[in-house]
Amino acid sequence: MTQDSIVTSPASRGQAAARRARQPVHPLLQKLFELYPRLFGARFLPLKIGIFKDLVAAQPDALPAAELKVALGLHTRSTRYIEAVASGLPRHDLQATPVEPVAPEHVHHAILELYKRRSGRAPEQARQHAVAQLAAAIEASGMSREEYRERFTSPDDNVHAMLEDALSVVAQKAARREALQNAFKASGKTVADFAEMYGLDPKEAGRLLA
């Protein structure tokens, strides 16, 4: 297992690779990978709140508290971990069982952190990806668009513009869903027939028309 380096300023891939080569992996990160490969392995998962205490209680000899705190800090600041949080996956316990959703604040800030890290290399691509992730986060949050805007308005003009673009995407999807639902009600057709008529995937149609 290798620990992702934390890129905080624009840099070339070669420079990032050089930094990774100079930074040895914390030994407890390797131990965490060996003990809990489903949490710290090829695919990182968001960790439940309080996982530090759970780890110390479960592995007091293998995971000394002071060193574990440093290792977990490196892990949770890694780009791969932040990607897992930004994706909206739930938090997981030591058995890699989903136990709670990630708070909307944590998802939102993870998306913006990823944008910050990626924008130096490919700013437009990073922005498009951030807007798409923000739109998904808004829909998953359970908040209205107005509530989300009020809660996460930023004084940063660029971030504010990305949020407005994401809110616009959500509004367009909601309008499309409403139009399809109205057309479906008026059609008298089954979901399968309606999906075929509009060229929709049957599963997507079922979700949109539910």
Side-chain angles (χ1 to χ4, degrees), residues 3 5 19 32 45 49 76 85 87 109 116 137 145 147 177 179 190 198 206 208:
Q3 178 68 27
S5 63
R19 278 196 298 272
L32 286 169
L45 293 173
I49 302 298
T76 56
V85 174
S87 72
H109 292 304
K116 177 183 174 183
R145 296 191 298 277
E147 289 171 333
R177 185 182 301 113
T190 65
Y198 278 82
L208 291 172

Side-chain angles (χ1 to χ4, degrees), residues 101-203:
V102 175
E105 292 89 344
H106 295 168
V107 176
H108 182 87
H109 292 304
I111 292 168
L112 295 183
E113 178 62 22
L114 284 180
Y115 168 73
K116 177 183 174 183
R117 296 184 186 198
R118 292 168 171 166
S119 59
R121 293 193 301 268
E124 186 54 35
Q125 183 179 355
R127 189 184 192 284
Q128 291 175 2
H129 190 64
V131 168
Q133 285 192 307
L134 284 170
I138 294 165
E139 292 183 310
S141 71
M143 290 183 268
S144 69
R145 296 191 298 277
E146 292 73 20
E147 289 171 333
Y148 199 96
R149 177 187 286 113
E150 181 177 354
R151 191 162 176 177
F152 294 112
T153 291
S154 171
D156 184 308
D157 289 342
N158 186 40
V159 172
H160 178 74
M162 287 197 301
L163 177 57
E164 288 302 316
D165 285 352
L167 289 165
S168 178
V169 170
V170 173
Q172 291 170 13
K173 290 175 68 175
R176 176 174 179 263
R177 185 182 301 113
E178 182 178 1
L180 283 172
Q181 289 172 342
N182 290 337
F184 173 66
K185 291 176 183 177
S187 71
K189 295 182 178 294
T190 65
V191 172
D193 289 341
F194 186 83
E196 183 177 358
M197 182 172 67
Y198 278 82
L200 299 172
D201 178 86
K203 289 184 179 180

Side-chain angles (χ1 to χ4, degrees), residues 36-48 51 75-76 80-85 87 89-98 102:
Y36 303 100
R38 294 171 64 191
L39 284 180
F40 300 96
R43 183 192 187 202
F44 288 1
L45 293 173
L47 303 173
K48 64 165 283 196
I51 198 80
H75 177 77
T76 56
R80 286 175 61 198
Y81 183 82
I82 294 172
E83 286 173 344
V85 174
S87 72
L89 289 170
R91 295 189 180 277
H92 292 68
D93 63 14
L94 293 183
Q95 289 71 47
T97 301
V102 175

